[in-house]
C-alpha cells in the first residue's frame, strides 16, 4: 500500500509541475492563506473590532482600504475574515467528503441491502433543495458560529461524493487484484483500506475541492442573507453589513469591493484546481504531455 501511495504522490507532483492552471490555482489559494497567516504581523487585527477606528473613512495612508460604517478597518477585517471563510469551507469540505466517501465505500463494496439503503438515502437527499434546508436550519440556530455553519453545510454536501465514490468502487471491487486479495484471505476491511482506498484517493481529492467550493458558496449565501456568525468577521458578513447600511448607494466602494475581489480570487483558484483535478482523475481529459 505504501508503494501505491508513493507512486500516486509522484504522479500528482509531476502533474502539478506540468499543469499551469493547477499551479495558478494553488498560487491564488496560497496567497489568500498567506493573507491570514502573515497579515497579522503587519496589520493590527484589533482594528477589525467594531468602533475601533473612525467610521466611513476613505482609503488613506493610515487606512489603506478605508473603514466601514461600524468603525472597523476594512484591511484588518479582510486579514481576519479571509481565514475564517476558508476555515468554514475547509471544515465543511472535509466533513462532507469523509462522510460521503465512507458511505460510498460501504455501499459500493458490500452492495445488496446496504447499498440499497445508502443509495435510497442519497437519492432522497438529492431531491430536496439544499438552500431551503440551509435557510431553515440556519434560521433555527440561535448562536451561529463558523463551526456550526460548516457542520450544517457539510450535512448537506455528502451526497455527490457518496454517489461518485460508490460508482468507482462498484467497478474496482470486480478487479482481479481484489479477487486475489479475497483468495489470499484478506478481510473486507483490509481490502477496502489496502486495495480499494488508494485507488479512489485522487477522486476523493477532486470531490474535496468541489465540496469546499460549494461550501464556501453556500456559506457566503447564508451570510449575505444575515444568517451567518454575527460576531465573527467573515467575507460574507462584511458584504452583508455593507449591504445593510447601503454602502453601494452611499458610494462607500471600499467597504464592499475588497471582499468581493478576495472572493473572486478564491473561487477562481478553487475552479482552476478543481478543473485540473478533474483532468487528473479522468483518463479522457488527462494531459499526456
Amino acid at each position: 500500500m505504501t508503494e501505491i501511495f508513493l507512486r500516486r504522490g509522484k504522479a500528482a507532483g509531476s502533474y502539478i509541475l506540468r499543469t499551469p492552471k493547477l499551479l495558478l490555482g494553488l498560487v491564488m489559494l496560497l496567497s489568500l492563506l498567506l493573507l491570514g497567516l502573515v497579515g497579522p504581523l503587519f496589520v493590527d487585527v484589533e482594528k477589525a473590532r467594531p468602533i475601533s477606528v473612525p467610521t466611513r473613512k476613505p482609503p488613506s495612508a493610515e487606512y489603506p482600504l478605508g473603514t466601514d460604517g461600524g468603525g472597523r478597518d476594512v484591511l484588518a477585517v479582510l486579514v481576519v475574515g479571509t481565514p475564517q471563510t476558508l476555515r468554514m469551507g475547509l471544515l465543511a469540505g472535509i466533513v462532507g467528503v469523509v462522510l460521503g466517501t465512507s458511505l460510498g465505500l460501504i455501499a459500493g463494496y458490500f452492495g445488496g441491502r446496504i447499498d440499497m439503503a445508502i443509495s435510497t438515502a442519497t437519492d432522497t437527499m438529492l431531491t430536496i433543495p439544499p438552500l431551503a434546508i440551509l435557510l431553515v436550519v440556519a434560521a433555527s440556530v440561535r448562536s451561529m458560529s463558523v463551526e456550526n455553519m460548516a457542520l450544517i453545510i457539510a450535512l448537506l454536501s455528502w451526497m455527490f461524493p457518496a454517489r461518485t465514490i460508490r460508482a468507482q468502487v462498484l467497478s474496482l471491487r470486480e478487479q482481479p487484484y481484489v479477487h486475489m486479495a479475497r483468495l489470499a484471505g484478506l478481510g473486507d476491511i483490509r481490502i477496502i483500506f489496502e486495495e480499494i482506498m488508494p485507488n479512489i484517493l485522487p477522486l476523493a481529492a477532486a470531490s474535496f475541492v468541489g465540496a469546499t467550493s460549494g461550501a464556501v458558496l453556500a456559506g457566503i449565501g447564508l451570510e449575505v442573507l444575515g444568517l451567518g456568525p454575527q460576531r465573527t468577521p467573515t467575507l460574507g458578513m462584511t458584504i452583508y453589513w455593507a449591504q445593510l447600511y447601503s454602502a453601494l448607494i452611499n458610494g462607500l466602494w471600499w467597504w464592499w469591493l475588497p471582499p468581493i475581489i478576495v472572493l473572486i480570487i478564491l473561487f477562481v483558484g478553487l475552479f482552476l484546481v478543481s478543473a485540473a483535478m478533474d483532468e487528473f482523475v479522468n483518463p479522457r481529459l488527462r494531459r499526456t504531455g
Side-chain angles (χ1 to χ4, degrees):
M1 185 173 65
T2 303
E3 294 180 358
I4 295 177
F5 279 110
L6 290 175
R7 188 164 61 249
R8 293 283 185 179
K10 291 180 180 179
S14 175
Y15 183 72
I16 290 174
L17 293 176
R18 59 188 175 88
T19 308
K21 69 172 66 172
L22 183 55
L23 280 174
L24 179 59
L26 291 175
V27 168
M28 295 174 75
L29 296 178
L30 182 60
S31 66
L32 296 182
L33 288 175
L34 290 177
L35 176 64
L37 295 174
V38 182
L41 300 177
F42 303 94
V43 178
D44 184 6
V45 295
E46 292 297 321
K47 293 181 179 179
R49 298 178 179 273
I51 321 179
S52 58
V53 296
T55 62
R56 304 194 176 200
K57 291 291 184 180
S60 62
E62 186 177 4
Y63 306 110
L65 295 181
T67 65
D68 63 15
R72 297 175 298 185
D73 185 348
V74 176
L75 178 58
V77 170
L78 292 184
V79 170
V80 176
T82 300
Q84 295 291 343
T85 299
L86 288 172
R87 186 159 67 96
M88 183 269 295
L90 290 173
L91 285 174
I94 291 172
V95 174
V97 169
V98 168
L99 181 58
T101 299
S102 301
L103 292 174
L105 276 169
I106 295 171
Y109 181 79
F110 291 103
R113 294 182 178 180
I114 297 177
D115 183 20
M116 183 180 298
I118 295 176
S119 297
T120 300
T122 303
D123 293 339
T124 301
M125 290 295 295
L126 286 172
T127 62
I128 302 175
L131 180 60
I133 300 178
L134 284 173
L135 290 174
V136 172
V137 175
S140 303
V141 177
R142 292 184 178 179
S143 179
M144 181 64 71
S145 65
V146 172
E147 292 78 12
N148 290 339
M149 180 176 291
L151 181 60
I152 292 171
I153 296 172
L155 293 178
L156 295 171
S157 62
W158 57 268
M159 294 84 72
F160 286 105
R163 292 187 74 180
T164 304
I165 297 298
R166 171 187 173 272
Q168 185 71 11
V169 174
L170 285 174
S171 174
L172 291 174
R173 73 177 186 179
E174 302 300 330
Q175 295 298 316
Y177 64 87
V178 175
H179 291 297
M180 291 297 296
R182 291 197 185 99
L183 292 175
L186 267 67
D188 293 330
I189 301 300
R190 288 192 61 185
I191 291 176
I192 289 175
F193 282 98
E194 295 183 10
E195 303 296 337
I196 296 179
M197 178 71 79
N199 291 287
I200 66 168
L201 284 180
L203 186 59
S207 298
F208 169 71
V209 175
T212 300
S213 179
V216 172
L217 182 61
I220 294 297
L222 290 177
E223 290 171 342
V224 170
L225 293 174
L227 298 175
Q230 300 289 325
R231 299 181 180 179
T232 303
T234 63
L235 298 178
M237 291 307 299
T238 302
I239 296 174
Y240 166 73
W241 294 119
Q243 172 187 273
L244 183 65
Y245 289 99
S246 305
L248 181 61
I249 297 176
N250 293 323
L252 305 176
W253 57 267
W254 59 86
W255 190 351
W256 53 267
L257 185 59
I260 290 178
I261 292 176
V262 173
L263 286 174
I264 290 174
I265 295 173
L266 174 59
F267 282 117
V268 171
L270 287 172
F271 171 77
L272 292 174
V273 173
S274 179
M277 291 295 295
D278 186 54
E279 290 181 0
F280 180 71
V281 300
N282 191 336
R284 291 175 297 178
L285 301 176
R286 189 180 305 168
R287 294 176 175 231
T288 57

